Amino acid sequence: MRSRHMGGPPWWHGRFRGCGYRFTVPRQAILDVLSGTLKHLSAEDIYFAVHKTYPNVGLTTVYRTLELLVHMGLVFKFDFGDGRARYELSEGPKGARHHHHLVCTSCNRVVDYTDFIDEEVELLGRTEKGLSDKFNFKITNHLIQFYGLCDKCRNSQ
Amino acid sequence: MRSRHMGGPPWWHGRFRGCGYRFTVPRQAILDVLSGTLKHLSAEDIYFAVHKTYPNVGLTTVYRTLELLVHMGLVFKFDFGDGRARYELSEGPKGARHHHHLVCTSCNRVVDYTDFIDEEVELLGRTEKGLSDKFNFKITNHLIQFYGLCDKCRNSQ
DNA sequence: ATATAAATGAAAATCATTTTCAATAACACT
DNA sequence: AGTGTTATTGAAAATGATTTTCATTTATAT
Ligand SMILES: [Mn+2]
Ligand SMILES: [Mn+2]
Ligand SMILES: [Zn+2]
Ligand SMILES: [Zn+2]
């Protein structure tokens, strides 16, 4: 019974150790923040959130940890066009499903959607296979985003 | 018979004027560079290329022009993860076809592909329709990228 | 408890992109 | 072709997200 790990999935600890990394307080805290939201947080967002509980965790550590989490495949990093990277747990709260994004080019709102996801994923799978063979690429990931004007922005102008 | 416009599509001029913009030497030069390559150039790449012919065109103007071209829909802006934006004519040299990208997460190589593009575009069309209706988004664009290890990087470890 | 190397935090550095502002040039009109 | 208006430009400075540096701290194997 590890004392500190009350909130998040305890398998995180093993996942870190398995990769030869230490499971530290800041890392736990950052994962806790990410696992407690459906939003797409920036490094600074996460820094502020962590800061409430652990005021001495620095922004540098947040950046370093996020880079590590992305590298480990626990977190996805996105560019939605607002000049800062956004992060999301690759397996969302309570194992939220794989999804893609709708991005408003005016206000930068981001909407998760899972509609058509099965068809998309099926086609993506075939495409990945075809591309792997043709270009000898080892494909590990994909990105799909739709851009446009959100409800509010299309009406207000 | 406009004197300067020998290289590029003369309709660019009209396109600019139609939007109320002036068609200037730097703008022409930047479009010429973009229309003469299949690569995905950064602002600095374009700056250097333009500089060979017009040494007094500044990097600032390159950035401003690219922003304008993206806004006009003549150019696409991409983030392939190497910390700088990359640009591509939306209608490539001799009307190259709509395509998507394969990105190497190790060396940042980018490969254009058009395989499966018809199926993809068909599904994207349906998805766009469905999403527009459901979220009341006016969708204008989409992005599809596959990430992985390229031929070279997967072999060289 | 101790040793060791990984991880951290504060401050400084980096660097792509943006802003400022005076000078220039596109083009509508003679 | 010349002129006036105003968008556009270029140099320099500013911005701001992210990275680097380096001395200190901490997780964990012993
Ligand atoms: Mn999401
Ligand atoms: Mn391309
Ligand atoms: Zn919006
Ligand atoms: Zn590669």
Side-chain angles (χ1 to χ4, degrees), chain A residues 116 119 123 126 146, chain B residues 98 100 116-129 142:
Chain A
F116 300 94
E119 284 174 88
L123 176 55
R126 273 191 294 133
F146 286 95
Chain B
H98 181 70
H100 294 147
F116 301 93
I117 202 76
D118 292 334
E119 285 173 88
E120 284 183 8
V121 168
E122 189 273 333
L123 176 56
L124 288 174
R126 273 191 294 134
T127 307
E128 284 183 21
K129 179 73 172 65
H142 64 252

Side-chain angles (χ1 to χ4, degrees), chain B residues 59-123:
Chain B
L59 180 55
T60 307
T61 297
V62 173
Y63 273 108
R64 275 189 293 231
T65 300
L66 288 169
E67 183 185 22
L68 183 68
L69 292 172
V70 169
H71 182 245
M72 291 172 70
L74 291 176
V75 164
F76 290 135
K77 178 180 184 178
F78 293 99
D79 167 33
F80 294 132
D82 66 342
R84 64 196 57 196
R86 301 267 165 188
Y87 301 87
E88 191 179 38
L89 221 51
S90 57
E91 175 170 345
K94 46 200 69 167
R97 269 225 285 162
H98 181 70
H99 64 271
H100 294 147
H101 294 114
L102 223 53
V103 182
C104 177
T105 51
S106 173
C107 70
N108 287 306
R109 181 196 317 280
V110 176
V111 175
D112 293 346
Y113 75 88
T114 52
D115 311 75
F116 301 93
I117 202 76
D118 292 334
E119 285 173 88
E120 284 183 8
V121 168
E122 189 273 333
L123 176 56

Side-chain angles (χ1 to χ4, degrees), chain A residues 38 40 78 80 88 99-101 110 112:
Chain A
L38 284 171
H40 308 89
F78 293 99
F80 294 132
E88 191 179 39
H99 64 271
H100 295 147
H101 294 114
V110 176
D112 293 346

Side-chain angles (χ1 to χ4, degrees), chain B residues 26-57:
Chain B
R27 288 173 180 179
Q28 158 102 41
I30 289 165
L31 278 168
D32 283 343
V33 167
L34 284 170
S35 70
T37 187
L38 284 171
K39 296 192 202 141
H40 307 91
L41 302 178
S42 67
E44 202 181 25
D45 291 337
I46 296 167
Y47 167 69
F48 286 136
V50 167
H51 198 265
K52 288 175 190 160
T53 318
Y54 302 100
N56 36 7
V57 170

Side-chain angles (χ1 to χ4, degrees), chain A residues 12 15-17 19 21 67-75:
Chain A
W12 283 339
R15 186 71 189 286
F16 274 78
R17 298 325 321 286
C19 298
Y21 300 125
E67 183 186 22
L68 183 68
L69 292 172
V70 169
H71 181 245
M72 291 172 70
L74 290 176
V75 164

